[in-house]
Amino acid sequence: LSLPIRQPTQQNLLTNNRTTIIFNMSSATITALPRELLQAIPMWLDGRDAYHFQSASRAILQSVNLAVVVNENDGFSWYDCNDARHLWTTIDPAFPLCRTHSILFTCKYKDQGWGNRKGFIHIAESIFEDDEEGETQIKMGNIIYSSPRAEHHWMDLRFEFQPDDGKRYSLWYQVGGGGGHTLHVASVSLKTLIYGSH
């Protein structure tokens, strides 16, 4: 059984501190590995490869025990904003008591279809602060992903990341100022790959 392992880019290696590993073992050899090692292998894989890895045998499935939680929405549109980044929504844990392997965000997006192109979508760490009235406000922390600038036609957007323990994340949109600017998103999907109980 040869397992296809994603080859991290140099940027991924620097950002995620991942190491490239290659497996080329028989299925009998893999299933004979200690349970703790089988559970650790998916940490080095992206979501798709991790899910395929656990499907290689019943023994691996029982050791890894990953599940996908899907949250989908038809879409949104924002009009005539400014150049600032605005909070779209928080990316809440699918099940707070379960450890998250990875989160995959996909959508289609475009701008108003003419004129200057100013639209972006961002994923950032969330900072929670209480205002003077005691209400919690969400501010943008470190940006972990910014989309390419929105085109005049629909484009596919796909970004997957492995959240750091203890951190929360949020989606932000940027329409652009100057009048007449719009950002449309459609087919929005957040797929969270979580570890079940062992």
Side-chain angles (χ1 to χ4, degrees):
L1 172 68
S2 296
L3 298 176
I5 307 299
R6 177 184 55 152
Q7 298 292 325
T9 63
Q10 186 64 29
Q11 181 178 4
N12 285 338
L13 286 170
L14 293 173
T15 303
N16 299 326
N17 196 24
R18 302 288 179 205
T19 303
T20 304
I21 55 175
I22 301 296
F23 290 102
N24 191 3
M25 305 178 183
S26 68
S27 58
T29 302
I30 292 176
T31 55
L33 292 173
R35 184 185 182 101
E36 293 77 15
L37 183 54
L38 289 174
Q39 292 173 354
I41 288 174
M43 294 189 313
W44 300 95
L45 309 177
D46 65 16
R48 181 178 179 180
D49 287 343
Y51 201 76
H52 286 168
F53 170 69
Q54 80 160 1
S55 303
S57 76
R58 180 174 296 179
I60 296 175
L61 175 62
Q62 292 173 344
S63 296
V64 176
N65 196 18
L66 288 168
V68 180
V69 180
V70 180
N71 187 354
E72 296 180 330
N73 193 287
D74 291 338
F76 302 88
S77 294
W78 298 280
Y79 303 89
D80 288 330
C81 293
N82 48 33
D83 290 321
R85 301 175 182 118
H86 300 272
L87 177 64
W88 173 1
T89 186
T90 56
I91 301 176
D92 297 317
F95 291 96
L97 298 180
C98 294
R99 190 160 55 99
T100 299
H101 173 276
S102 56
I103 298 173
L104 172 63
F105 170 73
T106 59
C107 73
K108 296 179 179 295
Y109 73 119
K110 70 173 184 175
D111 68 5
Q112 66 282 351
W114 54 272
N116 293 328
R117 297 165 41 237
K118 297 185 177 183
F120 293 93
I121 295 171
H122 309 280
I123 300 177
E125 296 174 1
S126 298
I127 299 174
F128 297 88
E129 295 182 353
D130 291 337
D131 60 20
E132 296 178 355
E133 298 177 355
E135 295 187 9
T136 301
Q137 304 294 324
I138 302 174
K139 295 186 177 181
M140 175 181 274
N142 294 326
I143 297 175
I144 65 168
Y145 175 75
S146 290
S147 71
R149 194 182 303 271
E151 297 280 357
H152 295 333
H153 55 272
W154 289 108
M155 296 176 58
D156 291 323
L157 183 61
R158 183 184 191 278
F159 179 69
E160 180 179 328
F161 67 100
Q162 292 182 319
D164 292 332
D165 290 340
K167 291 186 177 180
R168 298 278 297 278
Y169 299 87
S170 48
L171 285 164
W172 299 72
Y173 64 91
Q174 186 174 354
V175 177
H181 291 284
T182 306
L183 181 63
H184 304 282
V185 293
S187 303
V188 180
S189 173
L190 274 170
K191 295 181 179 178
T192 305
L193 192 60
I194 62 171
Y195 293 94
S197 59
H198 296 287

